Amino acid sequence: MSRSLNIALLCHPTIGGSGILATELGHKLAEWGHQVYVVSERPPHRLKNDRPGIHFCESTPVEFPLFTSPDHTLPLATRIAEVCRNHQIDVVHAHYAIPHTAAAWIAKELIGEAAPPIITTLHGTDIVYLGAMPEYRSLLQHVLEASDLVTCVSNNLKERTLDLFELEKEIEVIPNFYEPRPVTDTRENVRASLGVGDEPLALHASNLRTIKRIDLLLDAVKVAIANTSFKLVILAGADPEKVKQLIADQELQDHVMVADDVFDIDNYYAAADFTVYSSEYESFCLGILEGMRYGLPSASFDVGGIPEVVEDPSTGFMAPFRDSEKLGQAIAKLADHPELRSQMGIAAKERAINCFSADAVVKTYLNAYRQVMED
Ligand code: GMT
C-alpha cells in the first residue's frame, strides 16, 4: 500500500469555484488518510477545519507604514516555506498561479534542495485576465514553467493558456468535481422562505463579478416572464446590494429574489428546478455541475468550458453569448415543461456522477502528486 502524503494546498478563502474545489479536494484527501495543510489568509468558506487530517495554516498579510497597501504574497511565501519544513510536505498544490504559485516558487528558493514539487491548477481568471496584463505576464510565464505540473480544469482553458503563453510544458486537463453535502432542510421550507409556491424555481449562484453578466441574466428573465411564470433565486457570493438595486431598477422584484450569506447551498439546489448562468466566460462553471448533481438541467451561454460540462440538449440548453432572447426562451422552455425538465435532470445527474465524480477526480490528482514526487 502506498504511504499517505503530506500535502500543502494553497487557495483563496473567498467564495468562488477555485476555493470550493480546493477545499473539497482537501476534505477527500484527508478522508483517504492524507494530511492536508491549507495555507490561506483565513479558513476558506467551506473548510471543515475540525476534521482529522485537515490543518489550517494562516498566512497574515502585512501592513507596514512604508507599504501603500498590505503585502500578501511575501508573507504567504514565508509561511509556505515554514509549513513545508515543519510538516515534511511532499507536494505543494497551488490553486491559481498568481499569487499562489508565485509564492510557492519563492518558498522553493527559501527551502533549497529539499523543496517539494509544485503543482499549479489554473482555474480561469489568472489566465484570461491576469495573463493578458503586462504587470503579471512574464512572472506568470516563469512560474508556469517552474511548476512541476500544470493542470487546467477544462480543455478550453488549456487552449487559452497555450494561446497566451509559449510553454514547453505539457498541460494536463483535470476537470472539476462536486460531491453533494447533506441537505438539512425540506424543499417546502426553503421554497416558503423565498416566497415560492408551486411555480418553477431557477437558481443562479455566483460571486456576481462583472464577468457573470447579471445585466444579461435579467434581460433573459424579462424575455422568459413575458412567456411563462417562474421565479429566480440568486445566491449572492458578494455584493448583494448592487444586484438588489439592479433588480429594482428593472422592476423584477416579484420574480427575482436574492439570498446572501448562504452556507447550506445544497438545500437550495434540492429546492430548485433548474439553474441559469449568463457569464461571458467560465473555464468550467462549477455552479452548473453542482446543479447537475442535484438533477437540475441548466440554461446558459455557450462560452469557455461550459460545453464540456453541459450536453445540449440532453442536460441543458446553451445560447450564443449575449443572445438574451434565446437564453430567455431556454428558461421559458425549462419552466414550462416539467417532464422535459425531469428527463434532462436525470441525464444531468448521470453525467455529473459518471464524468465529474469526486472519487475519480481526486484519484487523478493523487496520481499526479505521486508522479511529480518520483520525477
Ligand atoms: O468565476 C469566478 O468568479 C470564480 C472563479 C474562482 O476563482 O473560483 O471561478 C473559476 O474557477 C471555477 C473552479 O474551477 C470555475 O468553475 C469557474 O468557471 C472559473 N471562473 C471563470 O473562469 C470566470
Side-chain angles (χ1 to χ4, degrees):
M1 211 177 96
S2 350
R3 75 169 172 90
S4 68
L5 304 181
N6 296 334
I7 300 147
L9 275 186
L10 319 179
C11 67
H12 290 300
T14 43
I15 298 180
S18 63
I20 293 170
L21 197 276
T23 303
E24 296 304 342
L25 172 62
H27 291 158
K28 199 73 187 171
L29 290 165
E31 197 185 304
W32 290 355
H34 304 283
Q35 298 301 312
V36 178
Y37 297 83
V38 179
V39 189
S40 197
E41 260 176 70
R42 51 180 195 274
H45 180 57
R46 293 192 191 175
L47 188 72
K48 301 272 185 282
N49 218 344
D50 51 354
R51 283 203 187 163
I54 295 284
H55 313 273
F56 174 64
C57 308
E58 188 174 337
S59 150
T60 319
V62 170
E63 292 189 52
F64 186 67
L66 277 179
F67 299 166
T68 51
S69 50
D71 174 28
H72 171 62
T73 309
L74 299 180
L76 176 64
T78 313
R79 186 74 171 116
I80 296 166
E82 192 179 278
V83 169
C84 287
R85 285 195 189 106
N86 292 350
H87 304 287
Q88 292 81 47
I89 294 297
D90 293 302
V91 62
V92 175
H93 188 175
H95 291 264
Y96 271 121
I98 302 288
H100 297 130
T101 311
W105 173 69
I106 299 172
K108 196 167 184 167
E109 291 294 307
L110 295 178
I111 301 166
E113 290 253 301
I118 301 171
I119 294 192
T120 299
T121 290
L122 299 175
H123 284 273
T125 36
D126 41 3
I127 294 307
V128 177
Y129 287 95
L130 303 183
M133 288 170 68
E135 290 87 344
Y136 290 113
R137 207 183 147 71
S138 64
L139 179 64
L140 249 168
Q141 167 89 35
H142 188 90
V143 299
L144 290 179
E145 282 296 2
S147 299
D148 295 270
L149 177 70
V150 176
T151 79
C152 279
V153 298
S154 64
N155 284 300
N156 175 272
L157 183 59
K158 175 178 172 174
E159 280 159 26
R160 302 266 311 226
T161 308
L162 292 175
D163 281 349
L164 268 168
F165 296 97
E166 276 171 30
L167 293 181
E168 300 277 312
K169 126 161 314 78
E170 274 292 305
I171 296 182
E172 193 173 334
V173 174
I174 304 183
N176 288 329
F177 65 88
Y178 185 64
E179 175 124 309
R181 292 167 307 160
V183 169
T184 55
D185 205 351
T186 63
R187 183 172 163 93
E188 291 68 33
N189 280 350
V190 176
R191 290 172 75 95
S193 75
L194 295 168
V196 178
D198 287 339
E199 64 272 52
L201 177 63
L203 182 151
H204 171 97
S206 81
N207 52 23
L208 306 180
R209 287 190 304 125
T210 318
I211 199 175
K212 305 294 173 184
R213 297 304 302 260
I214 300 303
D215 54 334
L216 298 178
L217 178 68
L218 298 185
D219 288 348
V221 167
K222 279 199 204 151
V223 171
I225 55 174
N227 295 294
T228 188
S229 144
F230 83 106
K231 285 199 172 160
L232 168 68
V233 59
I234 296 182
L235 304 186
D239 259 352
E241 293 315 317
K242 207 163 123 198
V243 75
K244 281 181 194 163
Q245 188 57 54
L246 270 177
I247 293 165
D249 293 345
Q250 306 269 1
E251 298 181 0
L252 286 171
Q253 301 95 314
D254 292 342
H255 306 274
V256 184
M257 294 82 63
V258 178
D260 53 353
D261 274 340
V262 170
F263 285 90
D264 45 4
I265 192 160
D266 293 71
N267 290 352
Y268 287 83
Y269 284 117
D273 298 299
F274 59 96
T275 59
V276 187
Y277 287 87
S278 50
S279 309
E280 63 186 52
Y281 182 77
E282 288 288 345
S283 65
F284 185 92
C285 200
L286 194 60
I288 290 184
L289 177 62
E290 292 183 341
M292 285 166 67
R293 191 60 186 75
Y294 277 91
L296 306 185
S298 58
S300 69
F301 288 134
D302 179 358
V303 295
I306 290 183
E308 295 171 50
V309 181
V310 172
E311 276 187 332
D312 185 341
S314 63
T315 74
F317 296 128
M318 289 184 289
F321 176 57
R322 269 187 224 284
D323 194 340
S324 301
E325 182 71 34
K326 193 149 184 228
L327 184 60
Q329 285 162 8
I331 295 173
K333 193 164 175 184
L334 287 171
D336 269 349
H337 297 92
E339 270 180 27
L340 173 70
R341 215 162 59 214
S342 89
Q343 204 183 320
M344 289 171 75
I346 292 169
K349 186 170 175 179
E350 239 174 63
R351 182 164 166 76
I353 293 171
N354 293 341
C355 305
F356 307 106
S357 83
D359 280 2
V361 175
V362 176
K363 237 177 244 161
T364 309
Y365 275 120
L366 206 45
N367 289 340
Y369 297 163
R370 296 202 194 275
Q371 177 202 318
V372 293
M373 285 166 61
E374 278 167 18
D375 286 348

